[in-house]
Structures are given as structure tokens and as C-alpha cells.
Amino acid sequence: MKKLNTLTLASAVKKLKSKEISHKELYADVSEAIAGKNKELNAYLALNTEAVSQAEKLLDTPLAGVPVAVKDNFLTVGLETTASSNVLRGFNPPYESTVTSRLKKAGGVVVGKTNMDAWAHGSSTETSDFGPTKNPNNLAHVPGGSSGGSAAAVAANMCITALGSETAGSIRIPSAWCGTVGLKPTYGRVPRTGVVAMGSSLDSPGPMTKTVEDAAILLSVIAGKDPYDATTGELPVPDYASNLKKGVKGLKIGICYMDHPQLKGTQTEKSVEEAGKLFEKNGATVEKVALSDQLEDNTILNPDYAVGVYTVVQRSEVSSNLARYDGIRYGHNRSTFGAEAKRRIMLGTFTLSKGYADKYYVLAEKVRNLYIKNFAQLFSKYDLLISTATPGPALKFGESEGNPLFGELTDLLNEPSSLSGLTGISVPCYWDKKTGLPLGLSIMANHWQEETVLRAAYLYEQETDFNPWTKEAHE
Amino acid sequence: MATKFTTDDVTHIASLANIPVTDGEKKSLADGFTKTIGVVEELNKLDVSVVTAVHMTGLSNVLREDEVDKKRMFTQEQALANAPNTHNGYFVVDQLIEQDD
Amino acid sequence: MNRKRTSIRGRRRRMSEWEPVVGMEIHVELKTKSKMFCGCKNDPFHAPKPNIYTCPVCLGMPGGLPVPNKKAVEWTIMLGLALGCEIPLHSKFDRKNYFYPDLAKGYQISQYDEPFCVNGRVHLPSGDVRIHRVHLEEDTGKLLHKTVNGKKVSLIDFNRCGVPLMEIVTEADIHSAEQAREFLKKLYQIIRYLDVSDADMEKGTMRLEPNISVRPVGDTHLPAYKVEVKNINSFAFVKKAIEYETERHITFLEKGEKPPQETRGWNEDKGVSFPQRSKENAEDYRYFPDPDIPPIVWEQGYIDGLKKQLPKLPDDKFQEFVTMGFPTSYASLSSVSPSSVVFVETAYNLTVKKDPTINPKTFGDWLFNRPIDIETANPNKIAEELIQSRKVVSIPDEEIQKAISDVLAANPKAVADFKAGKEQVKMFLFGNVLKTLKGKGDKKKVMEILQKSLTV
Ligand SMILES: [Mg+2]
Ligand SMILES: [Zn+2]
């Protein structure tokens, strides 16, 4: 019999409810996977020792007590929360994040807290103060980040499903590099309450799962207005899983960023092109959107500028968001920040400082608005934009060292959409036979259009063989 | 004209940011900032003369009623639970400024 | 030494050559039920223990997010309207970044370039004071400086952290200590009329910071420096501080020097200001719009509606009393506070109902010339007393004299006792006279004549 830890969220819930499997059996297999692999992968920082007994009481809930891995920037009562920083080492949250309390209420059990770039500052999980996480597909490579621990835990079947958070690429990049599914919701769709803040105008918690269906199920659980987060939208939360099979017929899809010089002639370019053809075959209209330096109706604003905008906006917000960590009320003092956090705090302090704010922060916010306008124009024409989540497969360890802009260059493809608050997903679209490393197809849509994103991603997943979990489900 | 950071700039920024940095770190920090800000200064190429900044959500007037929310409030024990130094229900910090008198 | 005398004489001369230029910054804690950005109880002054009115938001826990208190926002707008301000239709909250142990988040949520209220004006006999702006922010926690186990430490209580705080900033329109006092009194009255704060300077729910500079009389330019004085907790001390600072600045100016721009504290025991060590980097607050709080956008109709809801203000009530026929001094005393208004109106109406011949002036003469605390007195009782006192029917002195003579003749023993030194029998005789007069006649007069008759 197949190990139960390889089950998807959808099938685990079904099998638990039908009593085909028991919680004990499920958790035994998950624990075995964790015990066998975590030492090497370093995906989990903290584990819930009472997970099984908690799960057994939850059979009658929607999620039936499945084990869920949660990124360590979600505050969880009873489980140490550090955001992978020494500053918060030993911090026991006195309250629960809205997302994890919704998860728990729906019957999910937090099986452990996953590693990340410290404070989510990075795209590789290498900047964690508690050591890097390794890519389960190839141990010489990074898993991506900042939600690298969650992506690795899903990829290595050390959980049934997981939660991550994205500021610009932090869900989609590790999902692409680990070969899993990662959905970045619209900014404001999922509450940030109780999530260690990185870039407050960007942060979007979201599902990191084995399949598109799982992402849909989990999103329905965690999305929706939160009275404690004034930036959450009032829009009702649909049952995302029930609308997955509507296909892409009649949708207008634009392929973007693929004419960027760095991507010419790569496997990435090829995979995205093939995805376009697949959507076309299934009834969508697909066309290429050219890059431009200026705002025009049918072009996409050069993402190179987004690096600058993102750098300023994010650093500025970081400098303010991390000001509360003074070691007086909790945590340790400001000398315990790691090098990357110190750099970001200081740069953000500079971009907001007297005499410079107009030149940097205010300018960046204005250019950001150009991106928002650009996407508004594009989405008046297209239902979806497809691209790649990363320029290529996972980097090797150390490849980013000595380059303060490494994170930003890798984030390049995700930053314009993040700056604009859009939703997007990454689904596996290629596996390299030699390295064992995958690529991720990026599908983006306008605000609140998670349903459309999920529909297209689901079709793609069903029509291709890139997702190992759906493949197994077919067998 | 790209902005170039000096170690003095780093000293000033570090003090504003309340981040301790050693003299040894300052040179590489200054160089890193110079490089990063160089990328940012690409933005000056764009015409933003008619653009304003907007709030991300498109929402406005998200306000709460004036009600006490007991279930969200901490007990004194909860409030102090993670503090390294407390005294009689207070947080404790080394005195920053010598008090006159 | 005759130094003091010269200085007083010198002062008189100097004050005619120089004038203070003063702007005020006033912080007022709002008495909402809950805090500014969280649902914690807003009652730091009566909290039985430290750090019990705290939550993820006001304790600056990771992931705590602010949601503004609607009532606090409305009250700020109402104060702005009462001060004659314009209410811009677009407004927002910003982060003011600085480090201090009483500031949990490392930033204060305040308003930078889009405050709720701008360009107001307060009319005063001593000269109008323009209101630059009124904005809304949050208070900090409280520091207690102690020595614990031989170590100098600060104890922090966050019960006050996040309490809604209005900041009222005037233009530098104040040119005398008296005008400052007048302005503050008026502001205080308006706040009490709106019932949005107890504005108690002792408790610190109203805090005053004058920005003082001095220029030659006749000069209309703002001086190139200012001195901010903090920790002042009464109107009288503001007056003293302005007088003290003006003198101090003149000493510099007469030597041709510019007084140093600085922040000073006020020592009320010694009646002097002293330089305060400024917080490092205090000048670069790195303001930016708080991404956690969507902007505040008003429809003009909504603001007009709030304007209609404004209660009658001190000027309105003053005018009403004047129209009723109260002399201005009494009208002013009557409109001091909402409770004085209620009291005077009630007592006056009750009195007039019982005796229509009483007019506002006679009512005022009687009321304001006796030691009554109109904040606490019972208007019913007061009206009754007033009526009684006027019921005294005057009678000719001869009638009083006759009654006294009768009583003295009927009580020779008592008269003899009095003459032997027993003072207290006077009251016995006095009582008998009143009885004979059956309550008629002015008691004071009766006593006077009795005294005279006895000592003859
Ligand atoms: Mg203030
Ligand atoms: Zn609170």
C-alpha cells in the first residue's frame, strides 16, 4: 500500500471521513517521513507533539484533522514562532494568527512550523538563522523562498498540505522550485493578522499544496474579511473547489515576460509556450504581450523597473515593521538581527529619511501606481496572464552569495504582480531528468479572480503529467 | 549621478535605524547600499509627473465601533510572558535618560 | 543687593520693546470606551494593575494590526468643526517612526500631511487664534523611573499605549501670557461642551506645549527660532512659563544673540524652565502612510451632518444668556461649562416660576455673590433659598425698636446677665424679638438694633 503521507488534502479528508484510514495511520506515516527526512532537509523548525490526539477529535470537521505544515511567520499558540530569526528565538505567541485559527476551526492540525528566510527576507531559505532548507528534489539546490520549508515539506510528503506567505514570489518561487502548487491570493483576500509583517502593503498568506484542488480547498478555509485586518476585502468567499472544472473555454490569455532577453531560448520559454498551446487547444484565445518601457494598452511595463520599486517599498516597510523588535516585551535585542535583516532595515530607513523620502519612497509609490494602471489596462483585455514563476530551475547553495540583489533578480517575474496586489499561482510545468528539478508555470489574474486562476491551473494539471500527485491519483 | 554611500552615512543610518553595526561592517554595507540604490535610481527614467500614489486595497473608511473587545485582551501574565525582564507587573528596561531631579 | 528691583524696572521697559510669539500644541486624550486602534479598554488612569489593558495591537506583538476607532475619528472631526476648521475630504494615517521604550511598535500612528481638520479660528477678546490643524494619533505607554535592586531602570506600563490622542496645533498668533490662558480656557470649555475628554491636566489627559519665541514689537516676521516647553500641567503654569521664557529670550536678544532653539521642561516648584536632553534623532521621523490602514474619505454631506449634530458651544450659550438679559459677566460665568449652563438655566427657570418679578440681573447678583459650587449645587434648593431670602418684608426701624424694648422689659434677668458678661443670652433675646416680629424684618438689622439697645 502507498504511504499515507503521499495523500493529497482532498483524498486524505475523503479517506479519513470514510474511515478507510485512521488518524493514527496517517500521522504515523507523516511522522515517519518527518523523522526520516527532516534532519537532512531542515524543513521543520518546531513540531507539534500532540498532533495525533488533536486530530482524532476533528473527524467531523471539513478538514477532518489532516496534518498541515505552517510557515514559521504565522503566530501559533503553543508552538514557538520565530520567523526563522534569532530575534524571536523562544517566542511563545500569546495569540493565534487569523489564518491558523481558521485552519484549526476547519479541522486542520498544525503539525509543525516550517523554515523560511529570516523575516521572509529572501528567495532561497538560505538566510534562516536556523540553517537552510534543502530542495527535496536535489539536495545540492535551494528550495526557493522565503516559504522554502513549507514547499519542501509538501514536496517531501512530510505533511498533507501547507501554508506559506508571499510578499513577492515567496509562495510561487519555492513552489516552482520544489514542484508543488503555490497560490498567492489577491492582497487583502487572506488576513495578515498574526503573521509576522514583512511588507505590509504586499504580504499575502496562501496555500502551498500538492494539487490545484488542494489549493482551492485550503483557500476557501483561510480567505475572507477579518475585523482585525483593515486591509481585508469584504467580498464573499466562494467554494473554490466546486468551480475547478469549468475549463478555459472563451478565456483570453496573454503570455508575458517571455520576450525578456534572459529567457530567450530557455526551457522555461519552451514550457510556457507549450502551456499557451494547451490552453489554446482547450478553447482559450492566447496571444503574446510585448514588453515595453512605457505604459501602453497592449504592452507590459518593463519589469526591470519593478525591482527598484519593490526594493524601496519593501525595504521602507520592513524598516518600520521591524522597529517593534527591541527585546523589551518579547524576543531579543536588535543586535540579534541577521545580516540581511540589518541591511534591509537600514536601507529602508534611508529611503524614508528626511531629504530622501521624496526621491525614493514617494517616487517608488508613484511608479508602483504605474504598474497598477498597466495591469488594469491588460486585464481589460485579458482574463489571465501566463508566464514563468522563476527564470530557471532552483539555484545551487551559495549561488546567491555576495549579491545583495539576488533576491530581487529572482523575484523579478513576481514583483510587478505583487506590487499590484494581483493573484497568481505556480504549478509544475517541467521536470529536468538529469537534475530532478522542476519549473513552475505562473498564471496570474486580476484582483479577486482566484477562481479563474484555479480553473486554468486545474485544467493544466489535469491535461499534463507534471504533477506527481495527480499522476498517482490516476494510476 | 548615482548616490554613493560613505561609512559616515552608514553610521548615521544605523543610528536612525537603531541597529548596532561595527566599524568593520560599515565599508561593505556602504558599498552594498550604493549598488542597490543604483538600481533604484533607474526609476528616474520614468515619467511620473501625473501619477499619484494610491493605497493598495482601494478600500476606505475601514473603522471599528467603539467597543471594548475583552476576548482580544491579554491578562497581565500573558502580556509579560515573553518579556526577559519584568518587575511587579511592569516591563523593565535600563534607564535611557538620566532624570533631572 | 538691589538687583531684583532693577530687574523689575528693567522688565517693564523691556516688555514694551519686545513681544512673545507663541504657538500652542495641545494633546488631548479622548474618553472613548476603547483604544484608538484596538478594542482594549481605554481607562489607564483607573486600571487596577499595569499592563492589563493590552492586546496584540497596542503591545506591538508581531502581526498585530490597527483598526481605527470610528468614534475617535468622529469626535476629532467634531472638535475641528467646533474650532471653525475645514475638514478635508481625504485624509489618512501615517507612521511616525522613532525609538523609545514606551512606544511599543517603534512607530506612532499619527497623521502627517493630511490631518482631519485644518485652518480653524478661535475668537478671543485679546485677539483671535488661528488653528493650524487638528489631527488624531495614539498615546504612548507610561514610564516610571525607579531603582530596582540597586539599578536605575524604567518600568513600562502599556495600559495607556494606544489611547486616542488629539493634537491641536495653533498658529503662532498668541502674543501675551494672558492671551494664551484665555485661549486654553476657551479650548478647554469647548472640549468639555463636546464631552469628548475630561481634559484633566493633573491626570495628563490634556497636555500643553507652548512654542515660544520673542521679537521686537512691530516686527511681523516669525522669529528664526522657537523654544518648546513641555511638562506643563495647568493653565497658570503656561502663563508663567511664557512670562519666564520671554524674559529669558530678551536677555539673549538684548545682547544681539539668537536664543538657542531647544526643547525645555517646566519645573513648577521652582517656577523655571530647564533644558531637556532631546531624544536622539528626534527630528527625522520618517513619516509614511500606514499601509495597514486604508485612507479616510468623507462625503461633504456626512461632514454637514456632523456639523448639525454639534451641541451648543460656549459662545452660543453665552449669547443666549445675554439675550435673556444676563449681564455679560454673569453670562460668561454661567456658560463656563455644560453643567454650569444646566444649573443656571434650571435654577433661573424655577426661581422665575415662583417669583416672576425676579430678573436675570437680580438672580445673578444673588447667585454669583455667594459661595456656591455651581458644578455640584442643587438648583431646586438654590431657587427656594433665593425666594425665601426675598420674602423678607421690611418694616420700619421703630417697629423693630418697639419689639426689642418690649422683650428687654419682659426679661430683666437676661439683660442683667448680659451686662455681667454672659454674651450667649444675646441669642436668647434675639430669638424672642424675632418671635415677636413674626419673621418680619431684616435679621441683620434686628441684631444691630438689639446690640445697640443692650450696650446703651
Ligand atoms: Mg503628537
Ligand atoms: Zn490593545
Side-chain angles (χ1 to χ4, degrees), chain C residues 25-27 96 108 110 135 137-138 165-169 209 287:
Chain C
E25 269 179 46
I26 303 107
H27 284 91
K96 177 181 180 178
Q108 178 194 35
S110 180
H135 74 247
E137 57 189 28
E138 53 177 342
L165 193 63
M166 285 188 307
E167 182 174 328
I168 302 130
V169 183
E209 286 154 28
Y287 282 101

Short mmCIF file of all heavy atoms in Angstrom, two decimals, chain C residues 25-27 96 108 110 135 137-138 165-169 209 287, ligand 1:
data_model
loop_
_atom_site.label_atom_id
_atom_site.label_comp_id
_atom_site.label_asym_id
_atom_site.label_seq_id
_atom_site.Cartn_x
_atom_site.Cartn_y
_atom_site.Cartn_z
N GLU C 25 0.77 73.69 21.12
CA GLU C 25 0.43 72.31 20.73
C GLU C 25 -0.25 71.70 21.93
O GLU C 25 0.34 71.67 23.02
CB GLU C 25 1.70 71.53 20.42
CG GLU C 25 2.12 71.59 18.98
CD GLU C 25 3.41 70.80 18.77
OE1 GLU C 25 3.51 69.67 19.28
OE2 GLU C 25 4.31 71.35 18.12
N ILE C 26 -1.45 71.23 21.73
CA ILE C 26 -2.18 70.66 22.85
C ILE C 26 -2.57 69.23 22.51
O ILE C 26 -3.14 68.97 21.46
CB ILE C 26 -3.45 71.47 23.18
CG1 ILE C 26 -3.08 72.93 23.46
CG2 ILE C 26 -4.19 70.88 24.37
CD1 ILE C 26 -3.46 73.88 22.38
N HIS C 27 -2.21 68.32 23.39
CA HIS C 27 -2.62 66.92 23.23
C HIS C 27 -3.77 66.63 24.18
O HIS C 27 -3.70 66.98 25.36
CB HIS C 27 -1.46 65.98 23.55
CG HIS C 27 -0.43 65.90 22.45
ND1 HIS C 27 0.65 66.73 22.39
CD2 HIS C 27 -0.36 65.09 21.36
CE1 HIS C 27 1.37 66.43 21.32
NE2 HIS C 27 0.79 65.45 20.66
N LYS C 96 4.80 57.47 12.29
CA LYS C 96 5.86 58.37 12.73
C LYS C 96 6.89 57.50 13.46
O LYS C 96 6.63 56.99 14.55
CB LYS C 96 5.25 59.42 13.67
CG LYS C 96 6.24 60.39 14.27
CD LYS C 96 5.48 61.36 15.19
CE LYS C 96 6.40 62.38 15.82
NZ LYS C 96 5.66 63.33 16.66
N GLN C 108 4.68 55.62 16.01
CA GLN C 108 3.38 56.08 16.50
C GLN C 108 2.49 56.26 15.28
O GLN C 108 2.93 56.86 14.28
CB GLN C 108 3.55 57.42 17.22
CG GLN C 108 2.25 58.01 17.74
CD GLN C 108 2.39 59.48 18.14
OE1 GLN C 108 3.14 60.22 17.52
NE2 GLN C 108 1.67 59.88 19.17
N SER C 110 0.04 58.31 13.51
CA SER C 110 -0.36 59.70 13.64
C SER C 110 -0.85 60.16 12.27
O SER C 110 -1.15 59.34 11.40
CB SER C 110 0.86 60.50 14.11
OG SER C 110 0.53 61.86 14.26
N HIS C 135 -5.23 66.90 14.50
CA HIS C 135 -5.12 65.53 13.99
C HIS C 135 -5.27 64.51 15.10
O HIS C 135 -5.32 64.85 16.27
CB HIS C 135 -3.82 65.34 13.18
CG HIS C 135 -2.59 65.28 14.01
ND1 HIS C 135 -1.61 66.24 13.97
CD2 HIS C 135 -2.15 64.33 14.88
CE1 HIS C 135 -0.63 65.90 14.79
NE2 HIS C 135 -0.92 64.76 15.36
N GLU C 137 -4.05 60.78 16.78
CA GLU C 137 -2.94 59.84 16.88
C GLU C 137 -3.17 58.96 18.10
O GLU C 137 -4.27 58.92 18.63
CB GLU C 137 -1.61 60.61 16.95
CG GLU C 137 -1.53 61.60 18.10
CD GLU C 137 -0.29 62.50 18.02
OE1 GLU C 137 0.22 62.76 16.92
OE2 GLU C 137 0.14 62.96 19.09
N GLU C 138 -2.13 58.23 18.50
CA GLU C 138 -2.27 57.34 19.65
C GLU C 138 -1.27 57.73 20.72
O GLU C 138 -0.18 58.19 20.41
CB GLU C 138 -2.06 55.88 19.24
CG GLU C 138 -0.76 55.66 18.48
CD GLU C 138 -0.48 54.21 18.12
OE1 GLU C 138 -1.09 53.33 18.71
OE2 GLU C 138 0.36 53.98 17.24
N LEU C 165 -5.56 60.08 20.96
CA LEU C 165 -4.98 61.36 21.37
C LEU C 165 -5.17 62.35 20.23
O LEU C 165 -4.74 62.11 19.11
CB LEU C 165 -3.48 61.12 21.63
CG LEU C 165 -2.68 62.18 22.36
CD1 LEU C 165 -3.22 62.38 23.76
CD2 LEU C 165 -1.21 61.76 22.42
N MET C 166 -5.85 63.47 20.53
CA MET C 166 -5.98 64.54 19.53
C MET C 166 -4.83 65.50 19.73
O MET C 166 -4.45 65.80 20.85
CB MET C 166 -7.27 65.32 19.74
CG MET C 166 -8.52 64.62 19.30
SD MET C 166 -9.95 65.73 19.37
CE MET C 166 -9.90 66.34 21.04
N GLU C 167 -4.30 65.98 18.64
CA GLU C 167 -3.29 67.03 18.76
C GLU C 167 -3.81 68.28 18.06
O GLU C 167 -4.17 68.25 16.88
CB GLU C 167 -1.96 66.59 18.14
CG GLU C 167 -0.89 67.66 18.30
CD GLU C 167 0.49 67.22 17.82
OE1 GLU C 167 0.83 66.03 17.93
OE2 GLU C 167 1.23 68.10 17.33
N ILE C 168 -3.88 69.36 18.81
CA ILE C 168 -4.36 70.64 18.29
C ILE C 168 -3.16 71.56 18.17
O ILE C 168 -2.43 71.75 19.14
CB ILE C 168 -5.41 71.26 19.24
CG1 ILE C 168 -6.58 70.27 19.41
CG2 ILE C 168 -5.91 72.60 18.72
CD1 ILE C 168 -6.95 70.00 20.82
N VAL C 169 -2.93 72.08 16.98
CA VAL C 169 -1.78 72.95 16.77
C VAL C 169 -2.28 74.31 16.32
O VAL C 169 -3.02 74.42 15.33
CB VAL C 169 -0.85 72.36 15.69
CG1 VAL C 169 0.39 73.23 15.52
CG2 VAL C 169 -0.44 70.93 16.05
N GLU C 209 1.84 72.32 25.33
CA GLU C 209 3.22 72.63 24.95
C GLU C 209 3.27 73.93 24.16
O GLU C 209 2.96 73.94 22.98
CB GLU C 209 3.78 71.49 24.07
CG GLU C 209 4.09 70.24 24.86
CD GLU C 209 4.04 69.00 24.01
OE1 GLU C 209 4.27 69.09 22.79
OE2 GLU C 209 3.74 67.92 24.55
N TYR C 287 8.17 59.73 8.30
CA TYR C 287 6.74 59.54 8.10
C TYR C 287 6.46 58.82 6.78
O TYR C 287 7.08 59.12 5.76
CB TYR C 287 6.05 60.89 8.01
CG TYR C 287 5.82 61.61 9.33
CD1 TYR C 287 6.66 62.63 9.73
CD2 TYR C 287 4.74 61.28 10.13
CE1 TYR C 287 6.44 63.32 10.91
CE2 TYR C 287 4.51 61.96 11.32
CZ TYR C 287 5.35 62.97 11.70
OH TYR C 287 5.12 63.65 12.87
MG MG D 1 1.73 64.44 18.69
#
